[in-house]
Amino acid sequence: MNEDLIRKQLAEGGHLDAVSIEQAESHARSRRIGLVAAILELGLKSEPEIYNVAAKAHSMPFADPGNRKIPDEIISRVPQALAVENKVLPVAERGGVLYLAIDDPDRSFVLDNLTFVVGGQLKLALAPPTSLAAAIRRHYGQEEATGARGKSAEALASEDEDAPIIRLVHKMIDEALQDGASDIHIEPFEGRVRVRYRVDGVLREIASHTKTLQGALTSRLKIMASLDIAEKRKPQDGRIQFRAQGRDIDIRTSVLPGNHGETIVMRLLDREQGLKSLNDLGFAGDDFETFERLIKRPNGIFLVTGPTGSGKTTTLYAALSKLNRPDVKIITAEDPVEYHLAGINQCQVKHNIGLDFARILRAMLRQAPNIILVGEIRDTETAEIAIQAALTGHLVFSTLHTNDAPSALARLSDMGVKPFLVSASIQAVLAQRLIRLLCPTCKQEYEPTDSELRSVGLTREMLGGQPIYAPTGCVICGESGYRGRKGIFELMVMNDEIREMTFRGEPTLHIRRYAESSGGMRSLLADGARKIQAGETSIDEILRVVAEA
């Protein structure tokens, strides 16, 4: 709604005095809500009264369906599914014009949605939301208002005070799991609340709810995550334990205050389906054999690097699953513990009581483990303890945030670890990214240009007549052209020359050139090119992912 127009109408029409308008505006600013919502919360006007003012301000007719019966011949002009989906109600027909009631002047786009189906001349009228929702239920029923997708989900908000929001949240999480989403983003804007799922690393808009749902939706999720529902000024983090489709789902929940309310991101951790074997990660033949050989070494540090969401933890868990035997003691320090592995001692970092990675790692060494997993090396103290563990006969796995494998050596030196300790303790560094796989149902062959091939290090001679595929899009893959993900890897094994270069503190670029030229390391781009040749992914996907490196 245009609040300037409403403010002007309130003042000029004598509906509220200047003091009341200022009170409402102050309340709106403090609660980060709209002027109309503030007036309703303060009880300065009833909902029909303020929406009548809003209708005049926007030069729209006002229609309050109330409890009156609308003739069946008018109701039948708009099919039930369309009425519920678009949250619209035909209320009258005059002079060949059908009037449709909506609850927000900014939703005038419904005319475009309905014109071709309904036919004839259509005009919009503004109605109070509560009255409109009740009338839609009364005339059409609620059969279409049970999903969490699109605007049909908004009808859930008007059934009663609590149950509809609970059902909406549960349906939203269920659908995200069915779609294979890794997280759910709930983002408030000035006139709506957007819901997006991240599927295969890419966000998709799934639903757009009215602003009136924001408070109930936010409060419900905060309650589920054991957060303070009264705290709206500070970020909060929590966890939701959710059971769906016969298994337990761990949902890490983050709440961040913004201009239009609190943004909520929920990370879905499926402890059963998230675990993968080494064979499922996406290693090519020689890299797989090298990786399998490296993780069986008796001591040293094996680092996995990459940005957030690149599958580092999944790779390390796959390695631990391979090494998990009755005669081996494995201890992990994680923040948080994402998956539970039987037979492995897992310890959760708790910063509020001073239980950080370094403290857990020191205690670990007194437990006489064979293998140690440190969720992330974040500081010098953790790095030095991990290195000491590696030098005293332990195999240490950990992650580091760097863009490629050679950069990990420089990163440890930047933390203050002495170069001779880095060169002596590191056994290998694995950099990785996740790429989307082409949908096998709809992928199609296409002829790339020479420049496209060069961009991923390929030539027509290298292809040898092999076809290159591109995404198309179908119902099965949600029209994206991709279904599922796999890793691309850059595995750098430390040899005598690389250790010597690290000890001398040579630039990362020199180490990279040597590692590639000696045949010991294949770059992320080169591994991606192999997967293009295998028909698993597209050139565009590899460039999208590796360009971020």
Side-chain angles (χ1 to χ4, degrees):
M1 292 189 190
N2 190 320
E3 295 194 352
D4 290 335
L5 292 177
I6 295 174
R7 190 182 297 106
K8 183 178 179 182
Q9 183 67 35
L10 286 168
E12 293 181 353
H15 302 285
L16 286 178
D17 56 33
V19 174
S20 297
I21 293 174
E22 175 57 35
Q23 180 188 6
E25 289 179 331
S26 176
H27 186 73
R29 286 192 298 270
S30 65
R31 293 290 305 277
R32 294 188 178 92
I33 57 178
L35 179 61
V36 169
I39 290 171
L40 291 172
E41 283 193 4
L42 293 172
L44 300 175
K45 288 283 181 185
S46 67
E47 192 175 77
E49 289 173 332
I50 189 60
Y51 272 81
N52 195 350
V53 172
K56 292 176 182 176
H58 290 85
S59 302
M60 295 175 65
F62 175 72
D64 185 356
N67 293 318
R68 68 186 180 90
K69 173 68 175 173
I70 299 171
D72 291 339
E73 58 269 22
I74 292 178
I75 291 295
S76 63
R77 290 287 303 277
V78 179
Q80 177 190 24
L82 279 178
V84 175
E85 177 71 19
N86 290 278
K87 200 173 182 184
V88 65
L89 180 73
V91 289
E93 189 170 16
R94 298 193 186 98
V97 177
L98 181 65
Y99 286 87
L100 306 174
I102 60 173
D103 61 5
D104 187 345
D106 294 333
R107 297 182 62 246
S108 58
F109 59 82
V110 299
L111 284 179
D112 298 328
N113 296 349
L114 299 175
T115 297
F116 292 107
V117 177
V118 177
Q121 189 175 358
L122 306 177
K123 285 190 177 180
L124 297 176
L126 191 62
T130 303
S131 177
L132 177 63
I136 291 174
R137 291 202 314 279
R138 190 169 63 252
H139 289 93
Y140 286 110
Q142 304 185 82
E143 289 80 2
E144 301 299 320
T146 57
R149 295 185 189 276
K151 294 182 178 59
S152 61
E154 296 161 8
L156 294 168
S158 54
E159 185 181 350
D160 59 46
E161 287 297 317
D162 297 312
I165 285 296
I166 294 172
R167 286 171 42 233
L168 171 59
V169 168
H170 287 200
K171 188 71 173 176
M172 180 172 62
I173 296 173
D174 277 334
E175 287 183 343
L177 291 168
Q178 289 169 13
D179 288 355
S182 60
D183 38 67
I184 302 170
H185 295 245
I186 299 168
E187 303 159 320
F189 296 99
E190 187 172 1
R192 67 185 182 117
V193 178
R194 179 174 71 181
V195 178
R196 296 192 290 176
Y197 297 165
R198 189 183 297 279
V199 180
D200 293 336
V202 177
L203 285 168
R204 301 178 185 174
E205 182 167 345
I206 299 298
S208 181
H209 301 310
T210 57
K211 196 71 173 172
T212 53
L213 267 183
Q214 181 179 334
L217 186 58
T218 301
S219 295
R220 176 60 190 164
L221 290 171
K222 281 185 172 182
I223 290 170
M224 292 175 70
S226 301
L227 300 177
D228 184 357
I229 63 172
E231 178 56 74
K232 295 179 171 62
R233 301 165 301 165
K234 299 177 183 178
Q236 296 187 71
D237 293 300
R239 177 172 291 184
I240 298 171
Q241 300 292 332
F242 190 82
R243 186 159 185 84
Q245 302 167 18
R247 57 186 191 271
D248 291 323
I249 309 298
D250 190 21
I251 304 174
R252 286 156 55 185
T253 306
S254 172
V255 181
L256 179 69
N259 284 343
H260 301 293
E262 292 170 295
T263 296
I264 300 176
V265 176
M266 298 185 291
R267 178 87 183 273
L268 308 177
L269 299 174
D270 189 338
R271 289 174 172 164
E272 295 178 21
Q273 294 205 345
L275 288 171
K276 294 184 180 295
S277 68
L278 287 181
N279 295 320
D280 297 330
L281 294 178
F283 282 108
D286 51 350
D287 279 348
F288 177 80
E289 293 168 4
T290 304
F291 181 83
E292 197 170 30
R293 186 173 67 253
L294 285 166
I295 64 174
K296 292 178 180 178
R297 291 188 177 182
N299 54 49
I301 296 179
F302 188 99
L303 289 175
V304 181
T305 76
T308 302
S310 59
K312 300 187 296 296
T313 302
T314 301
T315 297
L316 290 179
Y317 271 106
L320 291 185
S321 297
K322 181 75 173 179
L323 299 171
N324 189 15
R325 304 189 310 270
D327 61 330
V328 174
K329 184 175 181 68
I330 302 174
I331 307 181
T332 74
E334 303 170 68
D335 184 20
V337 175
E338 294 190 12
Y339 308 109
H340 293 308
L341 287 174
I344 291 179
N345 303 279
Q346 296 173 273
C347 188
Q348 167 81 48
V349 169
K350 297 177 182 176
H351 295 289
N352 59 327
I353 60 171
L355 191 63
D356 54 17
F357 282 119
R359 188 170 180 181
I360 294 173
L361 194 48
R362 280 194 295 269
M364 271 185 188
L365 298 177
R366 295 192 288 271
Q367 298 273 319
N370 302 102
I371 298 169
I372 294 170
L373 167 65
V374 183
E376 183 183 347
I377 293 178
R378 296 178 180 174
D379 53 48
T380 306
E381 186 180 14
T382 306
E384 288 180 341
I385 298 171
I387 286 172
Q388 290 301 325
L391 294 175
T392 53
H394 303 87
L395 180 59
V396 180
F397 292 99
S398 192
T399 69
L400 203 61
H401 283 287
T402 63
N403 285 332
D404 58 13
S407 297
L409 305 176
R411 177 79 181 102
L412 289 171
S413 296
D414 290 342
M415 283 184 177
V417 180
K418 293 178 175 59
F420 78 88
L421 290 175
V422 176
S423 65
S425 60
I426 303 297
Q427 295 289 348
V429 183
L430 178 73
Q432 69 176 69
R433 299 289 188 278
L434 290 176
I435 58 165
R436 292 179 296 169
L437 299 176
L438 287 166
C439 174
T441 305
C442 65
K443 70 178 183 180
Q444 288 187 347
E445 290 185 29
Y446 94 112
E447 189 68 28
T449 64
D450 290 338
S451 62
E452 285 179 309
L453 290 173
R454 283 195 302 273
S455 67
V456 290
L458 292 174
T459 63
R460 297 197 185 280
E461 291 73 23
M462 293 169 66
L463 291 177
Q466 286 179 314
I468 298 294
Y469 294 90
T472 301
C474 64
V475 175
I476 294 175
C477 62
E479 303 299 334
S480 68
Y482 297 93
R483 190 152 57 104
R485 288 195 291 177
K486 184 178 280 190
I488 57 173
F489 302 96
E490 180 178 274
L491 179 58
M492 184 182 75
V493 182
M494 298 289 283
N495 58 26
D496 291 342
E497 182 59 29
I498 296 177
R499 292 186 195 281
E500 184 64 28
M501 296 173 78
T502 304
F503 178 73
R504 294 195 302 263
E506 293 201 19
T508 298
L509 183 59
H510 292 180
I511 296 176
R512 165 172 282 283
R513 285 174 179 167
Y514 172 78
E516 289 181 346
S517 64
S518 65
M521 184 180 79
R522 182 180 289 104
S523 69
L524 288 168
L525 187 64
D527 194 37
R530 287 203 297 190
K531 290 176 171 61
I532 292 171
Q533 288 178 276
E536 294 180 310
T537 192
S538 66
I539 291 176
D540 286 345
E541 176 66 7
I542 293 299
L543 292 177
R544 180 187 73 86
V545 173
V546 178
E548 296 171 355

